[in-house]
């Protein structure tokens, strides 16, 4: 990847991470850990890959995005705000009464293609969108992001079967493999491993990537682009809490908001990263 | 006397889908390995490229329907009521109801009249479940003519609709040529001022038969067909409460959460009168021929007659 583009993407991803901290701090609740692990992915999708238009969010030919792991709404909202779908100030009222930004994604928010939050459901909806695209011979692609804990839901595998059966090669699912869920490491709670083998057995083309390296991300999506006749899953190896030192790889940051002191420290770290990138 | 023609409402559902397909290009049909039984097979044969079998996976089917609707399609997702409303409840609630997507759920084999398959498949709870979902429209047609009209009205309406159909062939009493269907509008089939029988689904015909018997015994019963359980036609219900002072409800569904509950909730607010609920009591069904089961569970004209007489005796004399 071109070094200038890569640096710009890293800057954007850092700004999106700041939005995640801003949102969850002001909400005094929410899910920063899993949000921080998908910020680079969302940056790549919305700034490189997807055909979307912030001034026409419902544009018919747009690429669709479904956040199947809906609890990571802070990352999606920060992405959409940074992209210009709505004012960044909205992040400060995340989860407040009467606010635009609901605790989990809601279809009425500009740029949000589907309400989600109850795990396992988003991938089915993404299948429906991809199927509609196929029957209409439309060019758009459908992207959906699932958690590695989320794939413990049986509905995910119903959808996996369906997508392969209907050869939905306009569908790309990304599994955020940060290895942690609420009750502990996924390997200890009720292991969904081996994730890549499972999807391969269900008839998907499987790609792996480093979730925090834009060269790796680009390579994965370039490969996905070439696949026809079957759906693609990208299993991204990620770090829960990525970018904020004290949140990294800690289960406890799954669903806990930073207090004022933690907020200041997180922002200081992210601002330092931003200054370093801009230097 | 003209011969009574019998037809299952699921049969009319299949016919209506096929008829609608030509004029409604966005209409697509999903099923979960039950196309022969739900009768979506009629559509499948005529429009195979617009029919998608989801296999035995109702949760995913409802999600796929939501995605299709979010992309401009008008999906009819079909299965037995037990699985469409029961198994997939939370998906219907969160992926269809909450975003208020234009999905039509075609639920067949509702109620005790499933017959021999027994309790696991006799869904007497679907109306109760669907009623709790904000913005969900629930239609329970009384005969084949009404079923066909309901499917067409549902397709023309923008929003989620739960359509409830039966397995058993039941008498057609509406006249196809003159019948008019409007979502949310109850139909007064017979005037009367002593008592009102409010019925839905296959119990509407039973209510009409019961009213004739009651007439012979000097009780003048009003009969109202409530095909749309939600939104309920509270105007026709409250008017009946005010004018007749006593209501009997009749439905092939649990007495908890269905038509009887909806009517009770309405009259307690506009004109509190006694409401006697005829339906499946707080119990499971069992195997047997459908017609015999309906009698066993009191879902027949004779039981409506005796319950009505009892109530008139108790409350009106």
């Amino acid at each position: 990847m071109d070094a200038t583009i890569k640096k710009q993407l890293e800057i954007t991803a850092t700004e999106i991470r700041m939005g995640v901290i801003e949102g969850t701090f002001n909400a005094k609740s929410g899910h920063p850990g899993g949000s921080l692990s998908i910020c680079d992915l969302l940056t790549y999708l919305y700034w490189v890959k997807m055909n979307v238009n912030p001034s026409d969010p419902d544009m018919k030919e747009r690429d669709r995005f479904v956040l199947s792991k809906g609890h990571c709404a802070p990352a999606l909202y920060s992405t959409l705000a940074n992209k210009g779908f709505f004012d960044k100030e909205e992040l400060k009222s995340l989860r407040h009464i009467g606010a635009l930004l609901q605790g989990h994604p809601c279809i009425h928010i500009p740029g949000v293609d589907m309400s989600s939050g109850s795990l396992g459901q988003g991938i089915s909806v993404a299948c429906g969108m991809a199927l509609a695209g196929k029957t209409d011979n439309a060019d758009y692609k459908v992207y959906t992001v699932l958690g590695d804990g989320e794939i413990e839901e049986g509905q995910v595998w119903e959808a996996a079967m369906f997508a392969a059966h209907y050869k939905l090669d306009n569908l790309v699912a990304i599994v955020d493999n940060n290895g942690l869920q609420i009750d502990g490491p996924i390997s200890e709670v009720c292991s969904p491993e081996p994730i890549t083998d499972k999807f391969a057995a269900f008839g998907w083309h499987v790609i792996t990537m480093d979730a925090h390296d834009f060269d790796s991300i680009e390579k994965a999506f370039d490969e996905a682009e070439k696949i026809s006749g079957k759906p693609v899953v990208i299993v991204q190896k990620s770090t829960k809490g990525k970018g904020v030192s004290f949140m990294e790889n800690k289960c406890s940051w799954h669903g806990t908001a930073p207090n004022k002191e933690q907020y200041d420290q997180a922002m200081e770290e992210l601002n330092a990263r931003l200054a370093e990138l801009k230097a | 006397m003209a011969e009574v023609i019998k037809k299952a409402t699921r049969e009319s559902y299949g016919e209506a889908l096929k008829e609608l397909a030509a004029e409604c290009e966005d209409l697509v049909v999903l099923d979960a390995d039950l196309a022969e039984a739900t009768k979506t097979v009629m559509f499948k044969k005529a429009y195979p490229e617009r029919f998608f079998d989801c296999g035995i996976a109702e949760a995913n089917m409802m999600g796929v329907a939501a995605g299709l609707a979010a992309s401009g399609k008008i999906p009819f997702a079909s299965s037995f009521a037990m699985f469409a409303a029961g198994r997939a409840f939370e998906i219907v609630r969160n992926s269809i109801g909450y975003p208020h997507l234009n999905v039509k759920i075609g639920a067949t084999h509702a109620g005790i009249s499933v017959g021999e398959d027994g309790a696991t498949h006799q869904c007497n709870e679907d109306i109760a479940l669907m009623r709790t979902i904000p913005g969900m429209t629930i239609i329970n047609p009384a005969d084949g003519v009404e079923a066909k009209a309901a499917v067409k009205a549902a397709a023309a309406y923008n929003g989620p609709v739960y359509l409830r159909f039966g397995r058993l062939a039941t008498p057609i009493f509406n006249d196809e040529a003159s019948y008019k269907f409007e979502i949310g509008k109850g139909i007064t089939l017979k005037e009367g001022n002593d008592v009102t029988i409010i019925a839905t689904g296959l119990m509407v015909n039973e209510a009409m038969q019961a009213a004739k018997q009651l007439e012979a015994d000097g009780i003048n019963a009003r009969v109202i067909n409530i095909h749309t359980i939600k939104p309920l036609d509270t105007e026709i219900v409250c008017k009946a409460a005010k004018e007749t002072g006593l209501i009997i409800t009749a439905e092939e569904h649990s007495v908890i959460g269905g038509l009887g509950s909806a009517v009770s909730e309405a009259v307690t607010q506009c004109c509190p009168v006694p409401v006697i609920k005829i339906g499946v009591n707080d119990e499971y069904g069992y195997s047997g021929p459908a017609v015999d089961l309906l009698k066993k569970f009191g879902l027949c004209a004779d039981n409506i007659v005796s319950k009505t007489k009892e109530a008139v005796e108790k409350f009106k004399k």
Side-chain angles (χ1 to χ4, degrees):
Chain A
M1 180 183 279
D2 177 87
T4 322
I5 294 173
K6 187 173 173 181
K7 182 157 278 188
Q8 192 49 55
L9 291 174
E10 285 169 343
I11 289 169
T12 303
T14 306
E15 286 167 344
I16 290 172
R17 287 194 162 89
M18 294 171 89
V20 168
I21 299 302
E22 192 66 55
T24 50
F25 168 66
N26 282 288
K28 296 188 177 68
S29 67
H31 302 81
S35 294
L36 292 171
S37 66
I38 60 168
C39 289
D40 303 301
L41 168 69
L42 293 183
T43 302
Y44 186 77
L45 283 174
Y46 279 85
W47 271 264
V48 179
K49 205 75 212 160
M50 286 170 58
N51 172 29
V52 290
N53 182 358
S55 55
D56 184 10
D58 299 325
M59 181 176 71
K60 207 169 176 220
E61 65 274 24
R62 76 189 184 283
D63 289 322
R64 270 73 169 168
F65 180 80
V66 179
L67 186 62
S68 202
K69 53 176 246 168
H71 56 282
C72 297
L76 176 60
Y77 295 158
S78 182
T79 300
L80 294 173
N82 275 283
K83 189 74 186 169
F85 281 90
F86 47 80
D87 201 305
K88 276 194 210 176
E89 278 299 299
E90 296 286 351
L91 296 173
K92 292 181 180 167
S93 59
L94 168 66
R95 291 177 166 239
H96 292 188
I97 286 178
L100 172 69
L101 303 181
Q102 296 298 296
H104 289 83
C106 173
I107 203 166
H108 306 302
I109 298 167
V112 175
D113 287 321
M114 181 60 191
S115 306
S116 59
S118 176
L119 296 177
Q121 298 191 22
I123 186 173
S124 295
V125 177
C127 284
M129 291 173 171
L131 184 64
K134 284 266 165 201
T135 54
D136 289 344
N137 287 317
D139 279 336
Y140 66 78
K141 283 217 174 229
V142 183
Y143 298 93
T144 183
V145 179
L146 300 106
D148 51 4
E150 178 182 7
I151 65 171
E152 290 159 6
E153 284 283 3
Q155 187 179 342
V156 170
W157 302 102
E158 293 184 4
M161 240 182 294
F162 181 90
H165 181 79
Y166 284 100
K167 300 182 170 62
L168 302 180
D169 53 12
N170 53 347
L171 171 69
V172 179
I174 300 100
V175 175
D176 182 33
N177 186 201
N178 61 35
L180 300 174
Q181 58 189 121
I182 298 177
D183 281 352
I186 59 166
S187 57
E188 289 176 19
V189 175
C190 189
S191 181
E193 298 282 1
I195 298 171
T196 51
D197 291 354
K198 280 199 177 75
F199 275 98
F202 274 76
W204 289 54
H205 180 84
V206 183
I207 302 171
T208 56
M209 74 182 190
D210 176 342
H212 310 304
D213 172 3
F214 282 105
D215 288 317
S216 178
I217 295 174
E218 181 174 66
K219 195 162 159 280
F221 279 94
D222 284 351
E223 183 180 334
E225 204 68 47
K226 295 192 189 94
I227 305 306
S228 69
K230 50 164 74 175
V232 174
V233 63
I234 299 174
V235 179
Q236 67 161 18
K237 190 75 203 143
S238 66
T239 301
K240 196 156 187 158
K242 177 71 182 177
V244 177
S245 63
F246 60 90
M247 289 186 177
E248 288 190 3
N249 278 318
K250 295 241 169 52
C251 263
S252 52
W253 285 102
H254 174 89
T256 314
N259 61 26
K260 180 68 171 77
E261 193 185 330
Q262 291 159 335
Y263 165 82
D264 287 341
Q265 192 190 333
M267 283 308 212
E268 197 182 311
E269 285 184 21
L270 291 168
N271 271 312
R273 172 77 177 139
L274 208 53
E276 182 193 317
L277 286 166
K278 286 181 173 172
Chain B
M1 193 179 152
E3 197 192 340
V4 177
I5 299 167
K6 287 187 177 183
K7 192 177 203 171
T9 48
R10 62 176 165 144
E11 198 84 29
S12 305
Y13 170 52
E15 288 170 8
L17 289 177
K18 196 176 144 190
E19 285 172 23
L20 266 172
E23 59 186 86
C24 186
E25 284 179 13
D26 290 326
L27 190 150
V28 293
V29 175
L30 306 176
D31 208 304
D33 194 40
L34 289 168
E36 294 281 347
T38 63
K39 299 299 171 193
T40 61
V41 68
M42 296 183 204
F43 181 92
K44 178 188 177 179
K45 281 184 181 152
Y47 299 89
E49 71 290 348
R50 287 157 67 181
F51 176 86
F52 305 102
D53 208 316
C54 298
I56 311 164
E58 297 79 10
N60 180 60
M61 176 175 73
M62 292 305 175
V64 168
L68 285 162
S71 311
K73 299 288 173 196
I74 304 173
F76 277 74
S78 287
S79 184
F80 290 177
M82 191 69 253
F83 316 127
R87 188 186 197 94
F89 173 76
E90 202 252 21
I91 294 91
V92 173
R93 194 259 190 200
N94 275 322
S95 288
I96 296 172
Y98 176 47
H100 200 72
L101 290 169
N102 196 22
V103 173
K104 318 303 166 186
I105 300 167
T108 67
H109 295 62
I112 205 89
S113 61
V114 162
E116 290 83 351
D117 275 353
T120 53
H121 287 57
Q122 291 162 336
C123 187
N124 300 314
E125 305 87 4
D126 55 330
I127 295 173
L129 286 165
M130 290 297 116
R131 278 185 67 221
T132 62
I133 297 176
M136 180 63 76
T137 293
I138 303 166
I139 304 174
N140 185 32
D143 73 352
V145 168
E146 190 163 277
K148 203 179 253 191
V151 174
K152 293 183 178 178
Y157 166 83
N158 186 17
V161 179
Y162 181 83
L163 292 147
R164 184 183 209 245
F165 304 110
R167 172 176 181 268
L168 179 70
T170 54
I172 296 221
F173 60 87
N174 282 302
D175 170 44
E176 186 147 24
S178 62
Y179 181 75
K180 294 265 185 298
F181 181 89
E182 195 181 334
I183 292 176
K185 282 276 174 225
I187 301 167
T188 304
L189 292 171
K190 180 185 169 298
E191 290 294 350
N193 290 313
D194 295 334
V195 56
T196 302
I197 306 167
I198 301 180
T200 187
L202 58 73
M203 293 303 287
V204 174
N205 188 57
E206 299 300 316
M208 286 294 287
Q209 304 308 317
K212 277 181 205 157
Q213 291 182 44
L214 289 165
E215 195 82 65
D217 293 333
I219 296 172
N220 189 11
R222 183 179 302 189
V223 178
I224 294 172
N225 168 14
I226 292 289
H227 49 65
T228 307
I229 293 172
K230 189 181 175 181
L232 183 71
D233 186 346
T234 51
E235 201 178 309
I236 205 169
V237 169
C238 293
K239 187 166 175 276
K242 278 175 195 144
E243 292 175 2
T244 69
L246 174 61
I247 291 174
I248 314 292
T249 61
E251 63 194 306
E252 189 203 10
H253 181 274
S254 170
V255 290
I256 300 170
L259 172 74
S261 295
V263 167
S264 302
E265 288 159 18
V267 300
T268 52
Q269 294 189 59
C270 62
C271 178
V273 298
V275 177
I276 306 302
K277 293 189 275 188
I278 296 173
V280 177
N281 292 314
D282 193 13
E283 61 185 324
Y284 292 102
Y286 43 78
S287 293
V291 175
D292 298 340
L293 281 175
L294 288 168
K295 287 202 176 94
K296 278 267 186 192
F297 280 83
L299 304 173
C300 54
D302 287 349
N303 190 43
I304 297 174
V305 170
S306 61
K307 286 278 171 10
T308 304
K309 282 183 179 170
E310 254 173 52
V312 168
E313 188 64 33
K314 184 171 176 187
F315 296 108
K316 304 281 302 239
K317 291 196 173 156

